[in-house]
């Protein structure tokens, strides 16, 4: 349960963005000079920064937030003011504000966000998440074993199919081959998860899912185009393994429909795509009422992984692990040098940052290299 301790009224005085093509960092400053840091969802983030100032700031500047649990009320009011724009960019932009406000409240109370939510900062189990489809089955299996031995991972996710591939593999036979190779290399030593990234029709997803069940895979993420909820439900009903999804969805009624119809076994919201921590807490709560675990999408080492760790350290229906990419700077150069201290995997776990707020600092060198814009209350 979110703590309701009152300490002061936060009147939003200034909203700043620091952005490039991939990342938009949001800083919110209150009337008393206190501040917090957030981040919008990655990719085309320079566009999202414009949305922050054009469609978020005009409704948020001058607003007063009394308690951390009221952040969500402000965010929903802002979204209502922009009701003609129900899509992803507005939610991404609103998330930057929401996440910065949670940091601000945490710092003002000298508590981590996890603690504000009633949780405890602690080492949290992670699964090593591969992003590559250009890698052979043998090479993928070999590098997952290296990561297991080096960092202690006991769970991995790898890719099958082609992204939005309409039943095509990255090359013929790759899906079955990589499942068998990884299972042979890690079977019995690590939990195996796969991601279809909206590739398959129901019939092909069911065929592959039954094959994967024989090789010990326990988690089949986004098997069908994510917008085809009925297709995904058909796959879930036909398979023994968990069918999961939801990372792309930013509309709360869509989430409610997904939960009510039993489209998936496990819900996977993305804190940044969905529009911030407050809205993700609401989705997690609705999932919990339906008996569903929540294992969010956090596929890169921007601040989204930090946000997700704090969330998972507090919610009652947290899944057994947090997604943690195994890809380095050659794959995600745009996350290099973004914040400190770095998140580190030790014995298959990552420490939920313990400091006030998010418990990390955005690096000054990164900020200086970004495009800057400010909106202020007058």
């Amino acid at each position: 349960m979110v703590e309701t301790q009152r300490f002061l009224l936060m009147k939003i005085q200034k909203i700043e963005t620091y952005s490039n093509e991939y990342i938009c960092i949001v800083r919110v400053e209150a009337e008393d000079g206190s501040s917090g840091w957030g981040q919008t969802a990655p990719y085309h983030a320079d566009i999202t920064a414009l949305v922050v100032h054009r469609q978020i700031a005009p409704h948020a500047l001058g607003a007063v937030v009394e308690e951390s649990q009221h952040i969500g009320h402000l965010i929903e009011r802002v979204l209502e003011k922009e009701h003609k724009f129900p899509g992803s960019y507005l939610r991404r932009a609103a998330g930057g504000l929401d996440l910065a406000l949670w940091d601000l409240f945490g710092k003002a109370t000298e508590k981590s966000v996890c603690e504000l939510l009633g949780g405890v900062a602690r080492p949290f189990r992670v699964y090593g998440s591969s992003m590559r489809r250009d890698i052979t089955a043998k090479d993928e299996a070999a590098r997952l074993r290296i990561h297991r031995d080096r960092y202690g991972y006991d769970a991995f996710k790898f890719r099958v199919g082609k992204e939005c591939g309409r039943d095509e593999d990255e090359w013929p036979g790759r899906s079955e081959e990589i499942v068998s190779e990884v299972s042979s290399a890690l079977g019995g030593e690590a939990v195996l998860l796969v991601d279809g990234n909206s590739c398959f029709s129901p019939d092909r997803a069911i065929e592959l899912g039954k094959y994967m069940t024989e090789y010990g895979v326990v988690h089949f993420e986004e098997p069908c185009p994510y917008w085809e909820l009925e297709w995904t439900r058909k796959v879930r009903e036909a398979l023994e393994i968990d069918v999961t999804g939801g990372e792309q969805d930013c509309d709360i009624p869509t989430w409610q429909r997904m939960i009510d119809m039993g489209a998936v076994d496990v819900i996977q919201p993305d804190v940044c795509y969905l529009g911030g921590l407050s809205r993700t807490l609401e989705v997690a709560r609705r999932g919990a009422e339906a008996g569903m675990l929540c294992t969010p999408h956090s596929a890169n080492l921007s601040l989204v992984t930090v946000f997700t760790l704090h969330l998972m350290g507090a919610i009652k229906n947290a899944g057994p692990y947090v997604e943690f990419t195994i890809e380095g700077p050659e794959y995600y150069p745009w996350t290099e040098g973004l914040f400190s201290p770095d998140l580190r995997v030790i014995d298959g776990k990552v420490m939920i940052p313990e400091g006030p707020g998010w418990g990390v600092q955005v690096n000054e060198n990164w900020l200086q290299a970004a495009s800057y814009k400010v909106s202020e209350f007058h």
Side-chain angles (χ1 to χ4, degrees):
M1 180 178 295
V2 177
E3 185 168 319
T4 60
Q5 177 183 356
R6 298 168 183 261
F7 58 94
L8 49 79
L9 301 179
M10 290 295 188
K11 183 175 182 179
I12 300 174
Q13 181 65 32
K14 183 187 298 185
I15 299 176
E16 300 165 287
T17 58
Y18 301 79
S19 64
N20 58 35
E21 179 183 351
Y22 297 98
I23 296 286
C24 172
I25 295 295
V26 179
R27 180 179 179 271
V28 171
E29 184 177 306
E31 189 176 43
D32 66 357
S34 59
S35 65
W37 294 96
Q39 178 196 297
T40 72
Y43 310 114
H44 302 305
D46 49 345
I47 299 175
T48 309
L50 178 61
V51 177
V52 169
H53 295 285
R54 187 74 61 83
Q55 294 184 275
I56 302 298
H59 309 301
L61 290 170
V64 175
V65 184
E66 187 174 353
E67 303 172 0
S68 58
Q69 70 174 22
H70 292 164
I71 296 171
H73 302 327
L74 171 63
I75 297 303
E76 292 310 309
R77 189 60 183 146
V78 169
L79 295 177
E80 288 171 2
K81 291 286 189 179
E82 294 289 338
H83 63 275
K84 292 184 182 295
F85 299 88
S88 176
Y89 273 109
L90 189 68
R91 272 68 186 165
R92 289 166 176 247
L97 170 64
D98 173 278
L99 294 159
L101 287 170
W102 279 100
D103 189 48
L104 188 157
F105 272 78
K107 289 173 178 175
T109 55
E110 298 185 347
K111 292 184 176 182
S112 71
V113 173
C114 184
E115 291 175 302
L116 283 179
L117 297 173
V120 177
R122 61 191 186 276
F124 205 97
R125 184 186 180 199
V126 294
Y127 69 81
S129 187
S130 165
M131 304 295 154
R132 293 181 58 184
R133 282 186 166 86
D134 62 342
I135 189 170
T136 67
K138 289 185 180 296
D139 287 346
E140 181 75 296
R143 76 168 184 151
L144 296 186
R145 290 192 66 173
I146 290 171
H147 278 79
R148 179 203 62 188
D149 296 342
R150 184 175 297 168
Y151 301 110
Y153 288 106
D154 62 0
F156 289 98
K157 185 173 77 180
F158 53 96
R159 308 283 155 160
V160 294
K162 179 188 291 187
E163 191 167 0
C164 294
R166 299 191 175 191
D167 280 340
E168 290 186 18
D169 246 335
E170 200 66 24
W171 57 81
R174 181 182 182 275
S175 290
E176 282 83 358
E177 184 183 4
I178 198 167
V179 167
S180 63
E181 283 286 348
V182 171
S183 177
S184 177
L186 295 171
E189 299 175 355
V191 175
L192 303 183
L193 306 83
V194 303
D195 194 341
N197 289 117
S198 291
C199 179
F200 304 111
S201 66
D203 288 347
R204 173 60 177 140
I206 291 168
E207 176 188 36
L208 180 60
K210 290 180 177 179
Y211 176 87
M212 294 190 299
T213 301
E214 298 176 3
Y215 286 89
V217 174
V218 302
H219 167 123
F220 193 179
E221 182 172 336
E222 204 174 286
C224 301
Y226 72 86
W227 55 91
E228 298 285 3
L229 295 180
E230 288 79 10
W231 288 15
T232 304
R233 179 177 62 183
K234 182 177 180 180
V235 176
R236 183 194 66 78
E237 291 174 345
L239 296 181
E240 297 177 10
I241 61 177
D242 283 341
V243 170
T244 74
E247 72 177 75
Q248 315 292 352
D249 293 291
C250 63
D251 178 55
I252 298 294
T254 298
W255 273 105
Q256 189 62 56
R257 177 171 168 246
M258 185 190 312
I259 291 167
D260 288 345
M261 70 186 291
V264 295
D265 296 295
V266 178
I267 56 173
Q268 295 194 275
D270 182 298
V271 175
C272 291
Y273 293 169
L274 183 53
L277 181 64
S278 303
R279 287 167 60 82
T280 307
L281 286 167
E282 175 62 18
V283 167
R285 182 189 67 78
R286 295 184 187 206
E289 289 179 352
M292 292 179 170
L293 290 180
C294 180
T295 303
H297 173 261
S298 53
N300 60 76
L301 293 183
S302 68
L303 287 171
V304 65
T305 307
V306 174
F307 306 148
T308 303
L309 284 164
H310 282 272
L311 168 76
M312 293 287 277
I315 61 174
K316 293 181 179 179
N317 59 327
Y321 28 50
V322 166
E323 181 174 19
F324 198 90
T325 184
I326 63 173
E327 309 301 345
E330 71 285 348
Y331 194 91
Y332 286 126
W334 43 270
T335 64
E336 279 294 285
L338 178 60
F339 65 89
S340 58
D342 293 336
L343 301 176
R344 298 187 179 277
V345 182
I346 299 174
D347 295 331
K349 297 180 179 180
V350 173
M351 183 69 196
I352 300 171
E354 297 180 275
W358 298 121
V360 297
Q361 299 295 322
V362 181
N363 291 333
E364 186 63 30
N365 287 343
W366 190 94
L367 295 172
Q368 290 179 359
S371 297
Y372 175 77
K373 186 173 177 59
V374 59
S375 295
E376 296 189 63
F377 178 67
H378 298 289

